[in-house]
């Protein structure tokens, strides 16, 4: 395999006709330049310089090779400039991934607050289950991930490989449709063993599912809850809760419009709320200059 430095060295020596002078101009050493010229000659299978003449001169094979080497370097340099120009002109689109819940509740307002500092951000947003979001970050398929986090259920992203910072706070709150008197149809705890509250649960592939499962510690029976439905989508659970099918834990920001409208009510005391951080994660190494610039603003911004 040809090393581009061999061609640079060859053309410089062909120009100066002096190994020591060439090494000085190339910011190298004379032995290193000599070794690279020798490697090029070995690869071509021919001597390129007559080292017995003073100053040294090109052999007939060297004269034949010189225009080819010049053309190769011209084409490479031209291609490099074309690629760099195209890259500089391309829109700096940042790749984000997050859960559907954060994408529809938290991200729009947060992004507006960040753009007050950065200007308009060109971004591509994908939504997925939390586990798939994490996999996308590990695989380098996204620049940034937004996620709800809780100390008791850490994400499998090591701190050295993935930096993160808190950009918001929220809470998981139990909610239910109200009865005629405005009380929760499905309170926690349920009213009695024969009057259990329906429980609309997240699957364990959901980050919320793992947080709530840890909080309940398998006490659904003692709390007079009966699991009637499961989904990894908070939006689906919210619809089911509105319909009176059971209680569900929703992010407070997500539940707020329904609580204000009276279609949902808080179904339990503060003992059953779960405090959450909203974090943005980035890969510590695989990140573009545009993403790095964005991160500097985010890391120094105020938590919402």
């Amino acid at each position: 395999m040809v090393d581009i430095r061999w061609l640079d060295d060859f053309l410089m020596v062909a120009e100066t006709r002096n190994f020591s002078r060439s090494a000085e101009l190339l910011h190298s050493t004379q032995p290193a330049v000599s070794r690279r010229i020798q490697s090029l000659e070995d690869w071509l299978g021919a001597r390129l310089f007559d080292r017995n003449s003073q100053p040294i001169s090109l052999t007939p094979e060297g004269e034949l090779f010189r225009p080819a080497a010049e053309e190769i370097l011209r084409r490479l340099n031209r291609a490099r400039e074309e690629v760099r120009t195209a890259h500089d002109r391309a829109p700096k689109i940042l790749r984000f991934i997050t859960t559907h819940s954060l994408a529809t509740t938290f991200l729009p307002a947060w992004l507006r607050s960040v753009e007050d500092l950065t200007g308009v951000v060109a971004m591509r947003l994908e939504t997925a289950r939390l586990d798939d979001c994490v996999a996308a970050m590990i695989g380098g398929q996204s620049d940034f991930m937004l996620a709800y986090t809780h100390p008791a259920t850490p994400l499998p992203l090591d701190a050295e490989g993935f930096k993160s910072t808190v950009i918001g706070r929220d809470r998981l709150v139990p909610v239910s449709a109200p009865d005629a008197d405005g009380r929760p149809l499905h309170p926690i705890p349920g009213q009695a063993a024969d009057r259990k509250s329906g429980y609309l649960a997240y699957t364990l592939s959901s980050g919320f599912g793992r947080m709530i499962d840890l909080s309940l510690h398998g006490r659904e029976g003692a709390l007079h809850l009966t699991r009637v439905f499961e989904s990894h989508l908070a939006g689906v659970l919210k619809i089911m809760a509105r319909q009176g099918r059971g209680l569900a834990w929703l992010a407070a920001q997500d539940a707020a419009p329904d609580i204000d409208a009276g279609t949902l009510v808080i179904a339990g005391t503060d003992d059953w709320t779960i405090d959450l951080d909203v974090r943005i994660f980035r890969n510590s190494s695989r990140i573009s200059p545009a993403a790095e610039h964005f991160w500097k603003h985010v890391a120094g911004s105020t938590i919402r």
Side-chain angles (χ1 to χ4, degrees), residues 20-48:
S20 296
R21 179 59 178 157
S22 294
E24 181 181 345
L25 293 172
L26 291 165
H27 304 288
S28 185
T29 64
Q30 187 272 329
V33 171
S34 294
R35 283 196 301 272
R36 290 196 289 269
I37 294 293
Q38 182 65 57
S39 294
L40 178 60
E41 290 175 328
D42 290 344
W43 183 78
L44 288 168
R47 304 290 287 179
L48 297 174

Side-chain angles (χ1 to χ4, degrees), residues 5-23:
R5 291 178 300 175
W6 299 353
L7 302 182
D8 285 327
D9 290 354
F10 165 71
L11 292 174
M12 182 63 73
V13 175
E15 179 69 24
T16 66
R17 301 195 176 196
N18 185 287
F19 279 92
S20 296
R21 179 59 178 157
S22 294

Side-chain angles (χ1 to χ4, degrees), residues 32 40-41 58 61 117 133 153 182 190 215 237 241 256 291:
L40 178 60
E41 290 175 328
L58 288 168
E61 292 83 359
L117 301 173
C133 291
T153 55
S215 178
L237 298 184

Side-chain angles (χ1 to χ4, degrees), residues 270-282:
D270 286 346
D271 294 338
W272 300 107
T273 65
I274 300 172
D275 292 328
L276 303 172
D277 287 336
V278 181
R279 283 186 173 269
I280 183 169
F281 292 82
R282 58 155 285 185

